[in-house]
Structure formats: C-alpha cells, structure tokens
Amino acid sequence: DADVTQTPRNRITKTGKRIMLECSQTKGHDRMYWYRQDPGLGLRLIYYSFDVKDINKGEISDGYSVSRQAQAKFSLSLESAIPNQTALYFCASSGTPLGDTQYFGPGTRLTVL
Amino acid sequence: GENVEQHPSTLSVQEGDSAVIKCTYSDSASNYFPWYKQELGKGPQLIIDIRSNVGEKKDQRIAVTLNKTAKHFSLHITETQPEDSAVYFCAASKGGGGSYIPTFGRGTSLIVHP
C-alpha cells in the first residue's frame, strides 16, 4: 500500500465551488505539506504543518486553507475555486530527526471550469 | 528567500549517453540538496541527495556534485536508459530556522530515446 495517499485523484469543478482535497500518510511522520505544480513552474509550497497544532503559510497560500485533523491527515480546501487554481496538487510528509527528505503522494489533478 | 534556478528545462539524449542537469541556489546557508524524479502520473520521489559537507555522492549510475563556493550543484546520469525518462527536480533547503523547507527548481524533462 502507498505510504502517502491522496483523494480524489481527479476532480472537475466549477468556479465558486468549495473543494476539499484530502491526504493521509502511514509513515508516522510529524510533518506534512501541500504543493501545487504548474507546467514550467515546478513545485510551489501552499501550506505546511510540523505537528497537529502547527500550521504555516507557504509561498502561495492565498485562496487556500488547510486543516490538520490528526498526525496522519492533512486536508487542503479551496473555499471558492477559480480557474487559475487548475493545477496538479501534491501532498508530502517528512519525519524526524531532520525532516529533510519528503515523501510525496500520487497527486490530485484539479480542473476548475 | 532562497531562489533555485534549474537548467535545461528539456534534455533529449540517446540511450547510453550521459545526461547532466544543473542547478544554482542563492542562499549560502542552504545545506541540503535533494534531487527528485517524477515519472508520468506519479508524485516526485527522492533519488539522491547531498549535504554541504560533501562535494560528491554516487549511487550506481547517478551522481551529484556540489560546489558551495559557486553555489551550484549538478545531477549526472550515466549510461541512460529509457526508464530514466522523467521530470527531475532539484531543491535546496537548510535546517535550523529553515527547518529543511525546500525550494524547488522548475524541473527538467529528460527524454531518453531508445
């Protein structure tokens, strides 16, 4: 079984809709991350969490919110989706002692019409 | 903040040739440099990394070199095979206050022709 799972894998929605992307990890890691990937732009950090009570904004947090429901679960929400949020979204986790190596999920392809 | 530049954006080679991808970084305090491989339809996966106290690291057909003075690091793949075709990302990060939050390059699409 995959260590980091994401649901859904694909989602098509309309402008203005609220969307939630979910992530779970079975690696026992304390740190979790959400990234956005756009062609030619690499991976950009949206939010990250170092433990259940710790939430931090990344490079491109505007228009997004997150919830860390448990050590193993980290969800990303788009309160009112817009077309330029169409992208591939990745969840990742990393663990102690350094938390330097990240383990990525398979990604969620989101299309906002 | 950190800025990572990655070149080239696309690299096309014949099977058996070598491939080199180069990255530069701006923050001299960065001390951890991972490389990730992303196959089609999958998430990135770490393939090799190097820390600032080491100049070179090898793992079978792949190697990474680091020049701290020039602030650049490179990925070398020898004897390329079709299964090496993927998008490769470099990243730079630092511990302590940076807590190893990586800044990624924009990626290199490597195409290995049989």
Side-chain angles (χ1 to χ4, degrees):
Chain A
D1 289 339
D3 295 318
V4 182
T5 57
Q6 294 183 233
T7 55
R9 293 295 312 278
N10 289 281
R11 182 72 183 267
I12 300 173
T13 190
K14 295 182 179 180
T15 298
K17 294 291 187 181
R18 184 178 187 275
I19 296 296
M20 178 180 286
L21 309 182
E22 298 184 336
C23 176
S24 294
Q25 51 97 2
T26 59
K27 299 184 74 69
H29 287 165
D30 50 353
R31 301 180 177 189
M32 298 188 74
Y33 312 79
W34 275 104
Y35 290 93
R36 168 177 173 161
Q37 183 178 21
D38 298 277
L41 295 181
L43 294 157
R44 293 183 292 168
L45 184 63
I46 305 172
Y47 271 94
Y48 63 100
S49 168
F50 281 178
D51 64 42
V52 175
K53 297 181 180 180
D54 176 75
I55 301 289
N56 303 280
K57 293 183 178 180
E59 178 187 354
I60 54 165
S61 60
D62 287 350
Y64 302 94
S65 62
V66 292
S67 174
R68 185 83 183 265
Q69 301 94 325
Q71 186 190 35
K73 296 183 182 296
F74 194 35
S75 61
L76 176 72
S77 294
L78 288 67
E79 296 301 325
S80 179
I82 57 177
N84 77 359
Q85 291 178 314
T86 292
L88 191 53
Y89 290 85
F90 287 102
C91 174
S93 70
S94 67
T96 55
L98 296 177
D100 48 11
T101 300
Q102 301 203 341
Y103 297 84
F104 287 83
T108 294
R109 183 167 297 280
L110 176 66
T111 303
V112 183
L113 301 176
Chain B
E2 176 68 276
N3 182 49
V4 176
E5 299 283 343
Q6 182 173 347
H7 298 281
S9 57
T10 304
L11 180 58
S12 183
V13 301
Q14 289 296 128
E15 182 177 0
D17 289 349
S18 294
V20 180
I21 303 170
K22 299 181 178 181
C23 290
T24 61
Y25 61 99
S26 61
D27 188 348
S28 57
S30 289
N31 58 6
Y32 177 65
F33 307 92
W35 285 88
Y36 290 85
K37 176 183 180 182
Q38 184 182 20
E39 297 177 342
L40 196 62
K42 298 183 178 180
Q45 182 176 8
L46 179 75
I47 55 171
I48 195 167
D49 56 13
I50 191 167
R51 299 186 189 278
S52 59
N53 59 347
V54 176
E56 183 175 3
K57 184 177 179 180
K58 292 183 179 180
D59 183 3
Q60 299 182 342
R61 293 186 299 108
I62 61 174
V64 58
T65 58
L66 171 65
N67 183 326
K68 289 187 293 182
T69 302
K71 289 189 283 188
H72 69 70
F73 56 112
S74 300
L75 177 71
H76 304 255
I77 306 174
T78 59
E79 302 174 11
T80 54
Q81 301 169 2
E83 51 265 40
D84 294 328
S85 296
V87 178
Y88 292 81
F89 292 99
C90 64
S93 65
K94 58 187 177 184
S99 298
Y100 292 110
I101 301 295
T103 298
F104 287 90
R106 295 192 173 194
T108 296
S109 178
L110 174 63
I111 303 166
V112 180
H113 298 280

